[in-house]
């Protein structure tokens, strides 16, 4: 494991406080994304079902936009956790492959993982599901660029 692969130790980074902060403003605040839990390189968030988030009124299936925002935040948080700090970064690429629609009425869980961290780029992956991780709604892969270092 290289120096860049190791999580920052002793940084005092409070993941729960950071999650509360980012969940209260902007589109995350409007969507009501909730922080669930985390590990050394991953974060899990929840998006509760709401009628104003429906994309298809005939079926009641959630729109893709809220799920994309959920996964962007879950993978972003995994990078901050891995870095041990809430530092500026930009989403370079975020690819989402939808496998099926979310079941109406169910909460969507988004889990993001930072599996590689270099000096300037973080590599992430994750999935969204609505109760059964073995039956995902979508898979995501992406990269984030660190904007706080030259």
């Amino acid at each position: 494991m290289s120096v860049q692969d190791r999580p920052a130790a002793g940084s005092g980074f409070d993941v729960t406080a950071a999650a509360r902060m980012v969940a209260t403003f902007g589109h995350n605040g409007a969507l009501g994304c909730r922080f669930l839990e985390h590990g050394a390189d991953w974060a899990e968030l929840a998006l509760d079902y709401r009628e104003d988030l429906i994309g298809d009124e005939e079926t009641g299936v959630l729109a893709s936009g809220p799920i994309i925002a959920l996964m962007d935040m879950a993978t972003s948080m995994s990078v901050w956790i891995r870095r041990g700090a809430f530092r500026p970064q930009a989403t370079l690429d975020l690819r989402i492959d939808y496998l099926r629609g979310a079941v109406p009425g169910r909460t969507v869980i988004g889990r993001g993982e930072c599996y590689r961290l270099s000096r300037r780029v973080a590599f992430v992956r994750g999935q969204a599901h609505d109760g059964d991780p073995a039956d995902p709604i979508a898979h995501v892969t992406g990269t984030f660029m660190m904007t706080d270092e030259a």
Side-chain angles (χ1 to χ4, degrees):
M1 178 180 273
S2 72
V3 171
Q4 284 113 2
D5 286 339
R6 293 186 203 138
S11 64
F13 178 58
D14 184 337
V15 176
T16 304
R20 272 194 220 115
M21 181 186 72
V22 297
T24 58
F25 65 89
H27 64 276
N28 294 303
L31 293 172
C33 293
R34 294 181 289 115
F35 173 73
L36 295 179
E37 60 183 320
H38 73 91
D41 59 0
W42 60 269
E44 203 166 77
L45 305 177
L47 175 66
D48 294 323
Y49 185 85
R50 293 192 339 224
E51 288 188 13
D52 63 328
L53 302 179
I54 292 173
D56 183 342
E57 292 186 13
E58 285 186 30
T59 63
V61 171
L62 290 177
S64 60
I67 295 172
I68 292 169
L70 174 74
M71 295 312 298
D72 190 22
M73 183 51 56
T75 52
S76 290
M77 288 194 66
S78 73
V79 175
W80 293 323
I81 291 167
R82 180 97 183 231
R83 294 184 79 194
F86 181 73
R87 293 188 174 161
Q89 62 192 30
T91 307
L92 288 180
D93 176 51
L94 191 67
R95 175 192 168 108
I96 296 184
D97 294 319
Y98 283 94
L99 306 174
R100 63 176 179 85
V103 174
R106 290 189 182 169
T107 295
V108 175
I109 307 298
R111 181 182 174 119
E113 174 193 7
C114 177
Y115 65 92
R116 172 88 171 111
L117 186 61
S118 70
R119 189 174 62 83
R120 301 265 320 178
V121 179
F123 300 86
V124 297
R125 60 186 164 211
Q127 73 171 32
H129 67 84
D130 55 8
D132 182 1
D135 185 23
I137 297 166
H139 287 169
V140 59
T141 59
T143 52
F144 291 86
M145 176 169 269
M146 307 306 123
T147 59
D148 62 336
E149 296 179 21

